[in-house]
Amino acid sequence: MTAMEFLPVLFMVAGIVLVAGATLFVSSLLRPSNPYAAKNMPYECGMDPAGEAAGGRFRVQFFILAILLVVFDVETMFLFPWAVVLKDIGLVGYVEMFVFMLLLIVGFAYAWLKGALEWEE
């Protein structure tokens, strides 16, 4: 492949960056800018914030649980392409996915035993 074949892609990326930048610039000129204390407060469904969230701080367990969810979701996404080509990759691919799933289960068990999935009050 030559560099000329990628020229339309380069033009498309440049156009997208230009439109996004122009949109952000124009919106920053047109929007009202009047910050005040009530506007900058955390918002909880129309109620005044209470507890730890009132100061903008969240518990570490929330973030650990969110990271674990993302990690296991992304790792689970690897199962779909593997299932599509399972007949083509044969026994070697099957064993490799078994090892992958075993590592995934070991990671889940480790997180569970360390208490990362517990939501303590």
Side-chain angles (χ1 to χ4, degrees):
M1 298 186 97
T2 63
M4 290 302 292
E5 293 178 11
F6 290 106
L7 196 58
V9 175
L10 181 65
F11 284 146
M12 181 67 78
V13 169
I16 290 170
V17 169
L18 183 67
V19 167
T23 303
L24 289 173
F25 177 70
V26 170
S27 68
S28 71
L29 293 177
L30 297 177
R31 69 177 168 85
S33 178
N34 55 349
Y36 51 91
K39 186 176 186 179
N40 291 332
M41 285 180 50
Y43 181 73
E44 290 186 8
C45 301
M47 300 178 66
D48 289 333
E52 294 175 355
R57 294 179 297 263
F58 293 96
R59 295 174 28 183
V60 175
Q61 288 88 357
F62 172 77
F63 293 107
I64 291 174
L65 194 63
I67 289 171
L68 284 173
L69 175 72
V70 169
V71 166
F72 287 116
D73 281 350
V74 169
E75 289 178 351
T76 305
M77 285 175 41
F78 286 118
L79 292 175
F80 292 109
W82 171 78
V84 170
V85 296
L86 181 58
K87 289 183 181 178
D88 297 334
I89 57 178
L91 183 62
V92 174
Y94 185 76
V95 171
E96 287 177 356
M97 187 52 71
F98 181 75
V99 170
F100 176 75
M101 290 299 297
L102 184 65
L103 289 174
L104 185 65
I105 291 170
V106 167
F108 180 71
Y110 177 78
W112 192 349
L113 291 174
K114 284 293 187 178
L117 303 176
E118 298 293 326
W119 196 267
E120 302 167 358
E121 289 295 326

